Amino acid sequence: MKKIAILGSTGSIGTQTLEVAKEQGDIDVTALAAGSNIRLLEEQIRQFCPKLAAVWNEEKAEQLRENIRDLDVRVVSGMEGLLEVAAMPGTEILVTAIVGMIGILPTIEAIKAGKNIALANKETLVTAGHIIRPLAKEYGVSVLPVDSEHSAIFQCLQGGQRSALHKILLTASGGPFRGMTREQLEHVRVEDALHHPNWSMGKKITIDSATMVNKGLEVIEAKWLFGVNVDRIQVVVQPQSIIHSMVEYEDGAVIAQLGTPDMKLPIQYALYYPQRRYLPGERLDFAAMTEITFQKPDMETFRGLKLAYEAGRMGGTLPTVLNAANERAVALFLDRKISFLQITEIIEACMERHKNIPDPTVKEILETEQEVYEFINRRYGC
Ligand code: NAD
Ligand code: MG
């Protein structure tokens, strides 16, 4: 039995991870953590029988304790709860399926407790990759990508000579607004942005896909996962989402990973690596497929991608500023307090005024996050 714990079990990645566990039948779920959906968390606890569960909000945690008093499950709360789930004795792999920089401390805790990380929570690597990467090396644990593009790159690198890697070709669908002008983008609504053409995901990442900030975060994520500087990572728009990413070797050979848009493949690959298992579901049908097309990303219209390259190149606290400003701006957009184009305007304003701190500590990263939040609160009143 493989023993896993999940941070963010009630979300899009979390629920799909549990589906993989159910389908495979040889995964033991040791601990689960969620934000506030205690109804779904209770269902998951009754089905997968973890020994520990964490709920962010203490009141909800108390309610859950009450609801499951017939079970032998300890319910914890807050950051302490997340840290306990992360370091739960007996767990081999921690799946980080939580959204945002709140994942940094639990990920560090898990690495120190010797857990391998199946990483979906890209925000942690984007902001603290310079801490996570050496720490994982020091503790001899693996950080296995769950993000579909990074899983694709990881799969393309199997068997290849790592030192002969020339560049990474990170594919992007272009999101729902691909091909639009800034004038057209001025009037898009929350509903339009939440309608991703190919993938069904959580709200935050769906908006990030529409702004292409998601691709920018993925460029920085790839930098840390594969030890490549951002200028050797090229974003290629591939609207049908059939090619999940590619690598080019020194001799010009390009290796790609293709598949249907199903997150269960990268999740399952991370959980069983290096083994491949049967995965039920649709397969690519090359007889029915009409085309795979490519485009250059439009970094002038989708400025978030350009800003992310800049942040990735500069490093320090700048990726934290990009990420924190984006998190808050996306929340404001979802609350209909700002327009779609203002998301990247806010990111840019925050990056411009920031005095970069090179090689920041976790404390400095979290302080920077707070400063960005306070600035946005003051300026945009939320
Ligand atoms: P989601 O919003 O669907 O789920 C987030 C989960 O985190 C939920 O279970 C929520 O309860 C939990 N959570 C949020 N705040 C919490 C807190 N304070 N304490 C405890 N739990 C908390 O998000 P998602 O789409 O599953 O994305 C999760 C991560 O995976 C993100 O970093 C995202 O960028 C990344 N990712 C997602 C996909 C996808 O297909 N959904 C693909 C690639 C990468
Ligand atoms: Mg992705």
Side-chain angles (χ1 to χ4, degrees):
M1 288 295 255
K2 208 169 260 292
K3 293 183 187 305
I4 71 162
I6 307 173
L7 297 180
S9 66
T10 56
S12 162
I13 296 289
T15 50
Q16 293 183 85
T17 303
L18 288 172
E19 278 172 37
V20 169
K22 191 171 139 217
E23 282 158 13
Q24 292 300 322
D26 61 352
I27 289 178
D28 183 9
V29 178
T30 59
L32 296 175
S36 58
N37 187 349
I38 56 169
R39 194 193 47 75
L40 178 56
L41 183 58
E42 178 179 344
E43 265 175 41
Q44 295 177 337
I45 292 170
R46 294 196 182 273
Q47 187 174 3
F48 293 95
C49 311
K51 285 274 161 282
L52 181 68
V55 182
W56 180 251
N57 177 287
E58 171 52 29
E59 258 170 53
K60 294 244 168 155
E62 188 48 40
Q63 213 176 317
L64 180 66
R65 269 179 215 119
E66 193 57 32
N67 298 351
I68 59 166
R69 29 171 221 284
D70 56 315
L71 302 175
D72 179 22
V73 178
R74 211 154 57 79
V75 180
V76 287
S77 65
M79 179 51 80
E80 261 174 48
L82 286 180
L83 296 178
E84 244 192 274
V85 167
M88 171 84 172
T91 306
E92 295 159 59
I93 303 177
L94 175 72
V95 181
T96 61
I98 199 165
V99 198
M101 288 169 66
I102 196 164
I104 297 177
L105 291 172
T107 305
I108 290 176
E109 189 82 358
I111 293 173
K112 287 186 174 166
K115 319 292 182 203
N116 291 322
I117 309 292
L119 184 133
N121 176 228
K122 63 188 85 182
E123 296 89 347
T124 284
L125 216 47
V126 166
T127 56
H130 61 290
I131 295 167
I132 303 289
R133 218 172 106 95
L135 197 69
K137 200 164 174 215
E138 183 186 340
Y139 283 87
V141 305
S142 309
V143 178
L144 298 150
V146 168
D147 211 343
S148 59
E149 295 79 359
H150 303 74
S151 174
I153 295 160
F154 186 56
Q155 293 177 55
C156 294
L157 288 171
Q158 300 304 312
Q161 192 190 336
R162 200 58 170 257
S163 57
L165 172 66
H166 179 61
K167 71 176 181 187
I168 287 174
L169 297 152
L170 188 73
T171 55
S173 70
F177 305 142
R178 180 178 52 84
M180 282 196 185
T181 60
R182 288 187 75 80
E183 290 70 43
Q184 288 170 311
L185 288 178
E186 258 167 36
H187 308 291
V188 297
R189 298 163 311 156
V190 171
E191 297 70 32
D192 308 320
L194 281 175
H195 189 74
H196 195 281
N198 305 330
W199 295 93
S200 154
M201 308 179 285
K203 273 189 184 175
K204 192 236 167 201
I205 184 173
T206 305
I207 302 298
D208 289 352
S209 299
T211 56
M212 286 200 80
V213 168
N214 180 51
K215 210 45 59 181
L217 297 175
E218 290 185 354
V219 168
I220 308 176
E221 183 185 10
K223 161 182 156 171
W224 292 115
L225 277 170
F226 306 109
V228 171
N229 75 47
V230 296
D231 293 311
R232 287 208 291 147
I233 304 169
Q234 181 187 343
V235 172
V236 178
V237 176
Q238 200 281 281
Q240 299 82 12
S241 294
I242 293 167
I243 300 180
H244 296 314
S245 275
M246 307 178 265
V247 301
E248 184 186 313
Y249 286 99
E250 289 291 357
D251 59 2
V254 175
I255 314 285
Q257 188 254 327
L258 285 67
T260 54
D262 180 357
M263 283 309 295
K264 282 202 244 167
L265 168 58
I267 292 169
Q268 183 170 300
Y269 191 72
L271 294 180
Y272 287 98
Y273 172 79
Q275 242 188 70
R276 284 194 187 269
R277 293 268 186 108
Y278 178 73
L279 176 70
E282 265 186 63
R283 296 292 191 258
L284 280 185
D285 178 356
F286 285 88
M289 202 184 294
T290 51
E291 58 177 11
I292 301 180
T293 57
F294 302 99
Q295 288 167 9
K296 225 174 108 175
D298 176 356
M299 295 210 214
E300 289 313 317
T301 306
F302 297 93
R303 289 186 57 76
L305 182 54
K306 200 178 197 173
L307 293 168
Y309 264 102
E310 194 183 316
R313 221 171 268 130
M314 302 291 288
T317 37
L318 213 51
T320 297
V321 174
L322 169 95
N323 186 69
N326 180 56
E327 271 185 33
R328 201 37 66 94
V330 168
L332 287 171
F333 174 67
L334 286 170
D335 281 348
R336 298 167 203 272
K337 292 194 173 133
I338 61 166
S339 70
F340 182 75
L341 286 176
Q342 275 182 297
I343 299 174
T344 35
E345 280 169 26
I346 290 177
I347 298 172
E348 192 158 17
C350 291
M351 281 174 67
E352 262 172 19
R353 67 186 291 280
H354 181 67
K355 204 165 167 301
N356 201 13
I357 306 169
D359 203 19
T361 60
V362 173
K363 186 166 171 276
E364 287 169 324
I365 292 171
L366 298 178
E367 281 168 3
T368 301
E369 180 192 30
Q370 283 315 313
E371 277 168 29
V372 170
Y373 287 172
E374 280 159 25
F375 170 72
I376 295 177
N377 285 354
R378 274 200 309 276
R379 183 171 281 195
Y380 298 91
C382 48

